[in-house]
Amino acid sequence: MEIILKYFKDLTPTQIEQFSKLQELYQDWNLKINVVSRKDIDELYLRHVLHSLAIAKVVQFKPRSKVMDVGTGGGFPGIPLAILFPETQFHLVDSIGKKIKVVNEVVAGLGLTNVKTSNCRVEEIKDTYDFIVSRAVAQMETFVGWTKGRIAKKQNHDLKNGILYLKGGDLSEELKLYTSATIYDLPDFFDEDFYETKKVVHLGMKYKA
């Protein structure tokens, strides 16, 4: 938990309490349904929670904006971001039912009221969003195909509506089709060695009706 307070110093008492509960909730649910690797559960705040919050170093989501987390798995990056931005609406989507079950239980355990979930493929979602977030669930070209038509027309942020993708390694080949993509290196935000090769990729997307 100290690592969260190191980089996010202005948390409310409620947010501190919610972040503090994550370890116990995930440890408990992970024994029943394995959504986080055994190794990672011991380093939940470094490898999952803070990693998710890297997106908040790129953009501050506005109140009443809408964000969809595609392939949320155990709820990352969506749940940490929902704690940090309680007035933003988050929609967490995963095609694997047992993962959404864990997400629902964690959301209930935290008392989050700004999260809804769907157990389905993203192609089945008809709504539009200011941003679509994810943690490396597919190659960018595949991901862009999945999420086509889900970006809202109205701009509410200085950063253009689109995809915010947590990725690692050399992305030059994967992003060569996307010359407008902006890469944010996580060592610019976080000191820990874990983030040495990790990045947030922002890809502004045009609205398509």
Side-chain angles (χ1 to χ4, degrees):
M1 181 60 203
E2 291 79 15
I3 201 170
I4 306 303
L5 294 168
K6 176 180 173 182
Y7 294 108
F8 295 90
K9 294 179 167 57
D10 299 327
L11 299 178
T12 66
T14 298
Q15 288 171 321
I16 291 169
E17 183 186 359
Q18 288 171 326
F19 278 123
S20 298
K21 280 183 176 177
L22 285 174
Q23 182 84 43
E24 186 183 347
L25 283 165
Y26 277 106
Q27 279 181 326
D28 184 37
W29 275 100
N30 220 47
L31 293 172
K32 302 167 192 168
I33 302 171
N34 190 16
V35 291
V36 178
S37 77
R38 298 279 183 257
K39 181 178 69 178
D40 282 5
I41 201 80
D42 293 331
E43 297 195 69
L44 187 78
Y45 289 98
L46 172 70
R47 292 171 175 258
H48 293 280
V49 183
L50 187 62
H51 190 209
S52 299
L53 296 177
I55 287 170
K57 296 294 186 181
V58 174
V59 62
Q60 294 283 299
F61 295 129
K62 300 276 182 71
R64 294 184 299 284
S65 57
K66 290 166 62 184
V67 177
M68 177 165 63
D69 176 6
V70 173
T72 190
F76 302 102
I79 286 175
L81 290 170
I83 294 172
L84 196 64
F85 299 105
E87 295 179 40
T88 298
Q89 296 302 309
F90 288 87
H91 187 180
L92 277 52
V93 179
D94 204 288
S95 60
I96 299 172
K98 67 179 184 178
K99 292 185 176 179
I100 287 295
K101 176 177 171 55
V102 173
V103 169
N104 286 335
E105 295 293 346
V106 173
V107 166
L110 295 172
L112 292 174
T113 58
N114 60 329
V115 175
K116 72 173 184 176
T117 63
S118 293
N119 174 207
C120 68
R121 295 178 60 81
V122 64
E123 295 94 329
E124 297 169 47
I125 303 291
K126 303 298 182 217
D127 213 347
T128 60
Y129 302 84
D130 297 80
F131 292 99
I132 296 172
V133 300
S134 192
R135 287 211 304 178
V137 293
Q139 290 282 84
M140 185 62 92
E141 191 173 359
T142 303
F143 192 78
V144 168
W146 289 350
T147 56
K148 197 173 181 180
R150 309 298 187 286
I151 301 298
K153 189 173 188 177
K154 187 181 179 206
Q155 298 283 328
N156 296 309
H157 301 76
D158 293 335
L159 196 69
K160 188 177 180 187
N161 289 4
I163 291 168
L164 288 161
Y165 214 28
L166 290 158
K167 295 281 273 183
D170 182 0
L171 302 177
S172 50
E173 187 67 25
E174 185 173 343
L175 295 177
K176 66 183 181 185
L177 289 173
Y178 305 103
T179 53
S180 64
T182 304
I183 299 172
Y184 300 87
D185 294 313
L186 297 202
D188 291 345
F189 309 129
F190 305 141
D191 301 332
E192 288 70 22
D193 291 343
F194 176 74
Y195 296 104
E196 192 176 342
T197 61
K198 293 184 165 39
K199 302 163 176 70
V200 175
V201 179
H202 171 246
L203 182 60
M205 301 288 285
K206 290 186 174 67
Y207 167 80
K208 289 188 174 69

